[in-house]
Amino acid sequence: MAQFKVQIKGLNKLNTAFKKSPKIVFTNLSMAVKTSINIIRPMMVRNAPVDTSKLRQNIYARTSGLKGEVGPNLKITPYAIYVHEGTRPHIIRAVNKKVLADTKRGIIFGPVVHHPGTRPNPFVKRTAEEAVEPVNQIFRRAADKIADDLTK
């Protein structure tokens, strides 16, 4: 039986590129995550309701490797979920005082308030929808850079 020897030009270069590939991929993708987070956070701040500036001020962004998070800090603004999802009509009762009042505006409501509920303001969802195309572009550029770096 005849033997054939196949020699691939540039094989050493390709082997070197494959050895470097995990680092190249991780570096480029983690940069894409950071860039995306830096774009998404201002979008979410802009989409959060104006009348709850505390909510806007407490939208956090953090990255760790290939993971990124953006959202309202629920420890500081636990009501963010109610802003986002809305509330059904409900009763509010005075607990520590005899009556409920808005001391800033000088309004006394009484011992019980029949709250009509609030409409949802899905600012997180809106932000996610707005971010799809810019984030896709960031990751497309990262993929192109990975391909370029692997062929050097």
Side-chain angles (χ1 to χ4, degrees):
M1 183 182 239
Q3 287 187 337
F4 294 95
K5 185 176 180 180
V6 177
Q7 190 170 14
I8 301 171
K9 290 183 180 181
L11 183 61
N12 289 339
K13 187 177 176 182
L14 189 59
N15 278 331
T16 302
F18 278 130
K19 288 177 186 172
K20 293 189 306 186
S21 68
K23 183 179 179 188
I24 289 170
V25 170
F26 181 84
T27 300
N28 283 287
L29 290 182
S30 64
M31 186 58 67
V33 169
K34 287 178 186 173
T35 303
S36 297
I37 293 301
N38 288 333
I39 287 173
I40 295 169
R41 185 183 177 281
M43 285 180 174
M44 191 173 293
V45 168
R46 187 181 66 246
N47 282 326
V50 175
D51 58 346
T52 56
S53 64
K54 186 176 181 183
L55 180 57
R56 281 184 164 197
Q57 293 167 2
N58 288 288
I59 292 175
Y60 72 92
R62 73 175 149 244
T63 60
S64 176
L66 300 179
K67 181 181 176 186
E69 295 178 17
V70 177
N73 184 330
L74 297 178
K75 289 181 181 175
I76 298 172
T77 57
Y79 58 86
I81 189 72
Y82 303 116
V83 171
H84 192 272
E85 299 298 321
T87 62
R88 296 170 73 151
H90 56 283
I91 294 173
I92 304 171
R93 298 182 193 280
V95 176
N96 296 324
K97 304 281 182 176
K98 291 184 180 182
V99 294
L100 296 164
D102 182 342
T103 55
K104 289 181 183 176
R105 293 191 279 170
I107 301 171
I108 297 174
F109 300 107
V112 176
V113 172
H114 294 271
H115 194 285
T118 57
R119 286 187 172 179
N121 185 339
F123 65 97
V124 175
K125 182 181 177 193
R126 266 195 318 277
T127 302
E129 291 167 352
E130 281 179 31
V132 168
E133 189 51 39
V135 169
N136 280 338
Q137 287 177 10
I138 290 165
F139 277 88
R140 277 194 291 271
R141 285 193 301 267
D144 290 344
K145 183 151 178 16
I146 289 167
D148 289 346
D149 289 352
L150 289 177
T151 57
K152 288 182 182 177

